Amino acid sequence: MTIIRPYVVGDKYACLALFDSNVPDFFDPTERDLFVEFLDQPAGHYFCIDQDGQIVGCGGFAREARGQARFTWGMVDQARHGDGLGRLLTEHRLQEIAKAGDYSEADLSTTPRIAPFFEKFGFVETGREKDGFAPGMDKVRMIKPL
């Protein structure tokens, strides 16, 4: 059974394992310390995809200074890419943002490789930064009006 539930501190090492499974294709190793800091004190709302007691994905959103909902640290176990879990997590975050009722748009930063995935949900590119995440890993900024 697959459920999405709020993150709890006991999920930290399972979430770090998800991160590690996505290095170097989707995250740079230098980002790991930032993710550890985030997991120790998650900003906003953070969720885990729990599949039969195993954490197979995580991600959330937080309020930006301009009142936007910013997607935070979304990932799925690399061995599960293509299973629909990324879609499930994205839909869940967008539903939770809509339920809150006080956001006019959602934004995120991702890589050029992942940007087409988010375009399917109505996100549009607003800018690119060469080496924005790390050398050789460009950052694509995207936004979705709500």
Side-chain angles (χ1 to χ4, degrees):
M1 178 179 191
T2 303
I3 62 167
I4 298 181
R5 60 167 177 74
Y7 168 85
V8 295
V9 175
D11 297 326
K12 178 180 178 178
Y13 293 105
C15 291
L16 288 172
L18 296 175
F19 179 92
D20 293 340
S21 79
N22 283 285
V23 171
D25 294 335
F26 301 98
F27 292 105
D28 189 81
T30 61
E31 296 177 279
R32 194 174 198 274
D33 288 343
L34 294 172
F35 188 45
V36 168
E37 288 177 28
F38 176 85
L39 292 173
D40 287 341
Q41 292 189 314
H45 306 271
Y46 203 64
F47 309 99
C48 289
I49 302 175
D50 185 318
Q51 196 167 59
D52 300 320
Q54 180 181 6
I55 304 301
V56 295
C58 56
F61 68 95
R63 179 175 295 282
E64 285 285 286
R66 297 182 319 230
Q68 295 171 306
R70 174 171 274 290
F71 274 28
T72 57
W73 291 104
M75 63 196 77
V76 170
D77 183 349
Q78 188 163 358
R80 302 290 184 88
H81 287 191
D83 289 355
L85 297 171
R87 177 187 44 76
L88 181 68
L89 181 60
T90 301
E91 289 172 348
H92 180 78
R93 292 193 278 182
L94 289 171
Q95 288 168 1
E96 291 295 312
I97 290 166
K99 264 200 290 191
D102 59 346
Y103 297 102
S104 61
E105 55 193 19
D107 75 352
L108 59 86
S109 295
T110 191
T111 63
R113 184 173 177 183
I114 301 302
F117 170 81
F118 287 111
E119 288 172 353
K120 296 175 190 175
F121 296 92
F123 284 87
V124 294
E125 183 175 331
T126 60
R128 281 186 190 231
E129 181 183 346
K130 181 161 177 49
D131 301 329
F133 288 112
M137 191 172 282
D138 295 349
K139 181 186 287 187
V140 178
R141 287 181 287 295
M142 305 185 83
I143 199 159
K144 174 184 172 62
L146 301 174

